[in-house]
DNA sequence: CAACTTTCTCCACTCTCAGGACAAAGGCGA
DNA sequence: TCGCCTTTGTCCTGAGAGTGGAGAAAGTTG
């Protein structure tokens, strides 16, 4: 199939495309109810979208008491590629224009191997998805990387955990390889966009999305849009001081949040606890696997291990304290917790909630849900697809 | 003079009004250079603005090598009232449409006396300004209050330091009394808008404006717009924990930033130091006045008093640590320090800078100016005038 | 005073868009 | 099955929005 190259010609068309993408109505009549246009003008714009091929006719809608409406839908052949590069693994997924996942692959990987090696892997995963018959090509791709990005150019800048990527032209390189438009963003921002599109943050305009994995980051959505900051490093909360004169951190300071709680810190603390004989449960798991991860701690806690629970609680307190400050500052309508440690579940959530509800202003917390992300590992790739579709569904 | 009731009829007119307000060009030709319109269309819109009376002809511009252009300007009779209600004093100013201050009054006052008493004072100050011949009435008024505001309705909600104001219909009441449109906002947001309009933050789209007075607050500007949060309490950083298990705070928690550094906390610490005999300078001032304020500490520091310097430094460290976290989180392009304690000047600034530059990410601080506000006590009233003019210079 | 530049006005033309008239298509009760 | 209703889609007219060119008006410069 030849790839789509058309873009909406004006704001009306862009809005129609986004309505269709976001699961709104798909009959011409109901589209008219949601857009501020006369029926005649709407018909003209829909016809033009049909001409471009971005939208196709889709039979007749059920009657609402009179003549049946003609349905339209986004071209079912459109395919977006969503890539979520984490510190230790990579997710690649294919979606249709409604951003539904048609195929999804996950592979372990070390981002420090550098952009060339990682790109090779991403491209081979994309090729595998293509080979499975989902599509012959992509109309656009979104990609998230675990570090700050100069957004307009799609280039990582000074990323602490992926030094080899500094200045690498991710957008340009991937666009060249795939032959389609590409947008690049921080992985945390994409997770936020994913939860906003299809997860717990649907229809929330101001929220924070805290991703706790190997590191800790925070996606900031203000007024419906992602806030990236002037150098693309907004949301980098891993190195906020959580404990004065606390543990030394890789960044050179002491007491950083990330040094006290993150996937890596939790694993380290669990190993220490096991070695000190504080927990038989953890010790036996350590003996069995030679190492421990957040998953082991979660399992131990679920089995009732007090030490594991303490580790989770203590970590949750630290995260919660930092989040409490951010809540006072930003006054969000929702806080989403996601990332690798969501397996810690409600023990973690309870600790975070306790801190936030105790420390932040009542006015800011009065009606503030603090919840786990709904999409798990698919949030990133859905957010990536959303990123590129937002781009392509805007006037050129 | 009859007050203006006209509003711009469309976005073009709104943009023209804002260009004229913000000190842009005022010749028709140069307006054309800054707006995306053909000359013919521009002429039509300018003529319509002339008809409404919002804009008046203003002679001829100097030649740029050919025919001289016709100047226009905002109606010189337009008058905005800017009101900045602080915890312990109130500022009232009259501006023209370009937001230049024509008259300014400041009076001590206790906001806890409640809205009725404060309103009476504000109205009498406004009357005094009117009586001085500056204007016979107002085309609009902006008012800032030291607490969270439900912005669309212009109503304070759950304000900690002004309990009697909760739910008081500030906007409606003032509008009734003055007979003109009124907008209400948090005083810190107005300070940010003031510095954005006429101060150090000109042409900066993302910045933080930290106001340290009786309390501590932070104006957040993201993408050129003030971020107010879902309940209007965004920027309320006074109760972020700065010192674990630190001093008890009025809010019930311990170690809040405000409990460790603010105008009130600094005065309290200075009195303590004087009583403990740590500083002759402070002790003699205490003996002379019976009390101490931030001004005394600033003077003592300027005179070389080590204890006063220590107090400033320690306070600056606390504020700086919190700001460091906010900088990592928000990644602003500028941090402005303002409020009553700006008298502490560069000693305070140095402490804050040290903390921020040491603790925040290099990428976020690399090109980050941290500066004192430029407008001092006029920032609030200018911001208030800006608020109402933004409102009135938008299509109805 | 001629040649050039800049600014302003006027006009013709295109495009957007709303809203009404009307046709097409379906539901529903008698 | 036949009217009568509702809903949907199409066509047409007319009001504005907006562009761009022609040319007049007003200045500068040599």
């Amino acid at each position: 199939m030849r790839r789509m190259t058309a873009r909406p010609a004006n704001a009306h068309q862009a809005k129609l495309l986004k309505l269709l993408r976001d699961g709104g109505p798909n009959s011409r009549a109901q589209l008219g109810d949601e857009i501020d246009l006369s029926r005649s003008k709407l018909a003209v714009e829909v016809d033009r979208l049909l001409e471009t091929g971005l939208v196709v006719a889709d039979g007749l809608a059920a009657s609402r008491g009179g003549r049946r409406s003609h349905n339209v839908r986004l071209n079912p052949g459109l395919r977006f590629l969503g890539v979520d590069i984490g510190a230790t693994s990579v997710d690649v997924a294919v979606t249709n224009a409604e951003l539904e996942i048609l195929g999804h692959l996950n592979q372990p990987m070390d981002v420090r191997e550098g952009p060339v090696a990682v790109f090779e892997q991403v491209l081979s995963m994309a090729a595998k998805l293509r080979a499975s018959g989902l599509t012959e090509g992509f109309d656009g791709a979104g990609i998230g990387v675990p570090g700050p990005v100069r957004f307009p150019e799609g280039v990582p800048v000074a990323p602490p955990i992926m030094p080899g990527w500094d200045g690498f032209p991710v957008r340009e390189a991937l666009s060249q390889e795939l032959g389609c438009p590409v947008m690049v963003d921080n992985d945390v921002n994409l997770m936020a966009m994913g939860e906003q599109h299809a997860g717990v943050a649907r229809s929330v305009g101001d929220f924070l999305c805290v991703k706790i994995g190997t590191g800790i980051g925070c996606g900031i959505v203000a007024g419906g849009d992602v806030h990236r900051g002037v150098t693309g490093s907004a949301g980098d909360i891993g190195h906020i001081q959580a404990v004065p004169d606390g543990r030394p951190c890789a960044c050179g300071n002491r007491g950083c949040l990330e040094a006290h709680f993150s996937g890596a810190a939790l694993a380290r603390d669990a190993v220490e606890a096991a070695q000190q004989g504080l927990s038989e449960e953890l010790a036996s798991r350590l003996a069995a696997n030679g190492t421990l991860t957040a998953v082991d701690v979660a399992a131990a806690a679920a089995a009732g291990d007090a030490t594991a629970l303490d580790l989770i609680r203590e970590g949750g307190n630290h995260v919660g304290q930092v989040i409490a400050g951010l809540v006072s500052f930003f006054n969000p309508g929702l806080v989403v917790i996601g990332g690798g440690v969501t397996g810690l579940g409600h023990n973690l959530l309870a600790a975070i909630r306790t801190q936030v509800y105790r420390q932040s202003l009542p006015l800011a917390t009065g009606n503030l849900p603090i919840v786990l992300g709904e999409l798990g590992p698919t949030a990133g790739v859905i957010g990536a697809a959303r990123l590129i579709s937002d781009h392509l569904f805007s006037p050129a």
Side-chain angles (χ1 to χ4, degrees), chain A residues 256-280:
Chain A
C256 293
L257 177 58
E258 239 175 66
H260 285 266
F261 188 66
S262 63
L266 185 63
R268 177 202 61 203
D269 292 347
V271 170
E272 274 182 22
Q275 288 168 342
Q276 290 172 9
L278 295 174
S279 158
E280 287 184 21

Side-chain angles (χ1 to χ4, degrees), chain A residues 302-322:
Chain A
D305 183 80
T307 304
L309 268 173
D310 277 350
L311 287 176
I312 295 172
R313 239 176 247 143
E314 201 184 335
N317 283 342
H318 289 139
V319 181
Q321 192 185 315
V322 170

Side-chain angles (χ1 to χ4, degrees), chain A residues 9 24 33 37 52 57 76 84 95 126 131 162 185 210 214 251 273 289 321 340 356:
Chain A
D33 298 341
L37 276 181
T52 66
D84 186 4
T95 78
M162 39 190 276
D185 203 347
V210 180
T214 306
C251 75
N289 306 333
Q321 192 185 315
V356 173

